[in-house]
Amino acid sequence: MSRTGIFSLAAMALLAGCGSSSVMKMQPLEPMALSAVQVPAGELLSAGGGRVGQGHLGTAIALFFPSDRILGNSWSAEINFNFNVSMNMSVELAAAWTKTDVAGLGDIQMIPLTVSAQYGDHFGDAGRWYAGLGLGWMVNNFDGGGISADDSLVVHIMGGVEVPVTDMIKLCVELRYQMANTDLSTPQTLDLDAFLFRVNVVWLF
């Protein structure tokens, strides 16, 4: 056999061996699925005792301790609405009523209409603390002696804690300090600054 024939046979044998060998198949890599859990804004829990965008309706009773001792200690009734605007901030609208005696002159009724901004955060398992400030307009009515009282600006600061009673009811205990005064027709300026120890029952909706 010639050299050419020998080389031809060797080449055929080599090709046959390559054809019969197993070929590794590469499996395509599955891309990793990255997913983020998206929570609707209305479901985000806020430090205002509910969800962001959720409202609270409250009724409060407060003990009234005036700074000027010409005024007597008294109590206050209030209705309020609170709205969670973010995870830590809420806005409160409130209307209250207080009546107290003014030594030697008569009684004065105070109706503050206020708006407050509150900042709060959770502590423990379910409670939260909060602090805030607000301002508003106080309607003043004087009873007795033909004396009148001017309406006035009122400013207050507050701090308190909130604890859940049920899933939809919360109890707030708060210390508030209000700053206001009014001009009487006597003429006389009456100092209406006072501490208020406030208990507020809140319904979430």
Side-chain angles (χ1 to χ4, degrees):
M1 183 179 294
S2 67
R3 291 182 180 180
T4 303
I6 295 174
F7 286 141
S8 299
L9 290 175
M12 292 175 62
L14 180 61
L15 290 174
C18 291
S20 62
S21 62
S22 61
V23 179
M24 182 182 295
K25 295 183 179 180
M26 300 295 294
Q27 296 293 334
L29 294 177
E30 293 291 337
M32 291 183 72
L34 299 177
S35 61
V37 178
Q38 296 183 350
V39 181
E43 298 297 320
L44 293 175
L45 294 180
S46 77
R51 297 181 178 90
V52 173
Q54 188 173 34
H56 309 174
L57 182 65
T59 55
I61 295 292
L63 299 178
F64 180 86
F65 301 104
S67 299
D68 192 341
R69 299 316 301 170
I70 194 175
L71 300 178
N73 296 335
S74 187
W75 60 276
S76 176
E78 178 187 302
I79 185 168
N80 53 77
F81 173 77
N82 192 294
F83 182 78
N84 296 330
V85 296
S86 72
M87 294 291 287
N88 293 97
M89 294 294 299
S90 61
V91 174
E92 180 189 80
L93 304 175
W97 175 89
T98 306
K99 183 176 182 179
T100 186
D101 64 287
V102 183
L105 295 177
D107 296 332
I108 186 170
Q109 297 183 54
M110 296 164 280
I111 305 174
L113 308 171
T114 59
V115 57
S116 308
Q118 298 178 359
Y119 178 90
D121 205 352
H122 294 282
F123 68 86
D125 294 331
R128 78 173 187 104
W129 62 267
Y130 63 92
L133 55 86
L135 57 83
W137 193 250
M138 181 131 63
V139 179
N140 302 308
N141 295 310
F142 208 92
D143 298 332
I147 300 173
S148 63
D150 291 341
D151 298 341
S152 56
L153 180 71
V154 59
V155 178
H156 64 252
I157 57 176
M158 70 184 79
V161 294
E162 180 185 272
V163 292
V165 177
T166 69
D167 290 342
M168 298 302 294
I169 299 177
K170 296 182 182 293
L171 181 67
C172 302
V173 179
E174 175 189 298
L175 182 62
R176 177 177 296 203
Y177 186 71
Q178 76 170 27
M179 293 162 279
N181 57 59
T182 182
D183 293 327
L184 304 181
S185 58
T186 44
Q188 180 180 352
T189 297
L190 194 61
D191 185 359
L192 303 178
D193 293 2
F195 284 98
L196 292 97
F197 180 74
R198 181 171 172 258
V199 177
N200 189 25
V201 179
V202 175
W203 288 268
L204 281 66
F205 60 88

